[in-house]
Amino acid sequence: MRGRVLRAAVTLLVAVVVSGCALQPRQVLGDGAAQRILIAGRPFQYCASAPVQAWGQEIRRVIIAVHGLDRAACAMRDAVVAALGGEPADTVVIAPHFSTSADAPTGGFAWGPSTWPAGEPDRGGVSSFAVMDALVEAVGDRSITLVGFSGGGQFTNRYAAVSRTMLDRYVIINPSSYVWLTADRPRPSASCPTFNDWRYGLDGRAGYAETGNPEEIRERYASRGVRYLIGTADDDPNSTSLDRSCAAQTQGANREERAVNYHAHLVATFGQDVGDAQPLATVAGVGHDARRMLASEAGRASLTGRGRWAQRPPSGAYQGRTARAWVSGRRGRATPPPARHAGQTPSPESTPRTPTPTSPRPTYSTPSPCSSPAATTANRRHTRTSATASPASRAPDTASSSSTTPSSRHPCRRSSPHVAHAW
């Protein structure tokens, strides 16, 4: 009996050690590229070729790559670097690691496995969006592109909506759900009372997400430089990683449908100009695969700002229709749009869809001060700080850093407790 108990105890100990090793931060982050920075006095891990404080003046552009729910930060960074053909001399690719209690460093941040994409607070009351603000401050006065895949795409979509920090570009790739900016949905929602709650809609926002009323959030989002990518083979309604909550189901049956429906929702809400300014590109034959999505023509163009995004698609009605209204084939392959002129054939790899709405859309007679060209330029001036105050003690719209350079602040920039110093 004693021997069986001893053997069971040893087996349990081995299981704990093995599982513990599998969840160590270095395993999730990867070897050789894990860095740390102090945010409000707490360590935050990220992947980069060099720590932020070591970057020289030659670094003019930063790509912040956000991982999915697997939290494989360094793998996400590697996928972006591979898509770029290597890290350019004037660019740094950085991948933050949104840790959980299973892999957080001692004293570090720990969010729930699926709460950080919605900007919810960690166990210490700090929003993942506030930490992103801090990382942006650490980057300094450089051009910033925020790109997210899967759960990172959800993060990027919601952060663009509620953050007062304006970045140069947001790239949203294959997310499981989106934050819709009105209560309209392409699928029935009567049996889902939470369909428009925060993370899926604008109701019930709290904490960081409570940044103004819905109209202000809509104006803010319409002014962002956003790109959307979806793989046409990411269409499995039974995917184990797909959000199958009733609120997510009102957006579409699978990721591909949800992407097309969301873009149609933007056109219906804001008009064709915003639909054109925030294009959706489909990547033919690619499923839920970050590396292949980023390596596509549309993926590379979204990262670099160069290359042919795609041709203008045929128009279609949004109201009362789902993604299948704009796709053909049994598995939802994209219908190539007509060429712009004779002899020009659009790329089958990256076909955007911008259906023309038939439902009324709101108009905005008073432009937001944060959407003007001057405000956009000012918002892109990022400064370093040496804050020590805790984000949890600050209201979302009034948080400030006592040591932030006043001349660098802009009324549209979100003041938050930012970087104390880097390790």
Side-chain angles (χ1 to χ4, degrees), residues 24-335:
Q24 287 301 307
R26 296 292 291 187
Q27 297 294 325
V28 173
L29 289 170
D31 294 328
Q35 312 290 345
R36 288 191 180 189
I37 193 169
L38 280 184
I39 294 177
R42 298 168 65 185
F44 182 72
Q45 297 179 305
Y46 63 96
C47 281
S49 56
V52 172
Q53 73 272 22
W55 299 351
Q57 293 183 351
E58 73 279 3
I59 302 302
R60 299 180 180 179
R61 185 164 179 262
V62 176
I63 298 175
I64 302 178
V66 184
H67 56 69
L69 295 184
D70 60 1
R71 304 190 312 283
C74 287
M76 180 65 183
R77 176 187 174 272
D78 291 346
V80 172
V81 171
L84 294 172
E87 196 168 65
D90 64 347
T91 301
V92 168
V93 180
I94 178 173
H97 176 228
F98 290 100
S99 53
T100 69
S101 58
D103 53 23
T106 302
F109 300 92
W111 291 274
S114 60
T115 63
W116 59 268
E120 294 183 22
D122 83 324
R123 61 189 175 188
V126 183
S127 166
S128 55
F129 290 168
V131 169
M132 179 58 70
D133 283 341
L135 194 58
V136 167
E137 288 289 349
V139 164
D141 189 16
R142 296 176 170 97
S143 171
I144 299 177
T145 294
L146 179 63
V147 54
F149 171 79
S150 192
Q154 295 183 50
F155 179 99
T156 303
N157 170 235
R158 294 169 182 126
Y159 181 75
V162 299
S163 176
R164 294 191 184 279
T165 299
M166 180 176 285
L167 306 182
D168 293 86
R169 178 171 291 192
Y170 306 81
V171 182
I172 299 168
I173 307 174
N174 292 41
S176 193
S177 65
Y178 301 80
V179 57
W180 281 53
L181 305 173
T182 70
D184 296 329
R185 294 294 186 277
R187 304 183 84 196
S189 59
S191 62
C192 184
T194 60
F195 81 96
N196 204 45
D197 284 356
W198 168 248
R199 87 178 287 152
Y200 304 105
L202 298 181
D203 293 346
R205 289 172 294 111
Y208 188 110
E210 200 172 12
T211 55
N213 60 48
E215 192 74 3
E216 292 170 337
I217 292 174
R218 282 189 283 270
E219 284 197 24
R220 184 184 304 147
Y221 195 82
S223 72
R224 302 304 202 206
V226 187
R227 300 291 184 273
Y228 306 89
L229 281 78
I230 187 67
T232 61
D234 202 350
D235 60 355
D236 182 1
N238 299 312
S239 169
T240 57
S241 61
L242 180 70
D243 184 347
R244 286 181 280 179
S245 66
C246 69
Q249 294 286 10
T250 66
Q251 300 182 9
N254 54 61
R255 289 187 181 90
E256 186 199 15
E257 283 194 10
R258 293 173 191 180
V260 177
N261 286 343
Y262 186 71
H263 194 259
H265 156 67
L266 296 178
V267 175
T269 302
F270 301 114
Q272 191 64 55
D273 288 347
V274 171
D276 291 343
Q278 297 187 6
L280 166 68
T282 58
V283 181
V286 177
H288 205 63
D289 188 322
R291 188 171 287 269
R292 291 183 65 196
M293 289 296 298
L294 288 162
S296 69
E297 180 184 7
R300 294 191 303 270
S302 69
L303 295 173
T304 64
R306 298 187 297 272
R308 180 164 57 104
W309 181 259
Q311 302 301 323
R312 185 78 178 272
S315 61
Y318 159 70
Q319 192 171 18
R321 304 178 71 183
T322 67
R324 297 303 181 197
W326 295 288
V327 296
S328 65
R330 297 180 64 182
R331 288 185 54 80
R333 297 298 179 258
T335 302

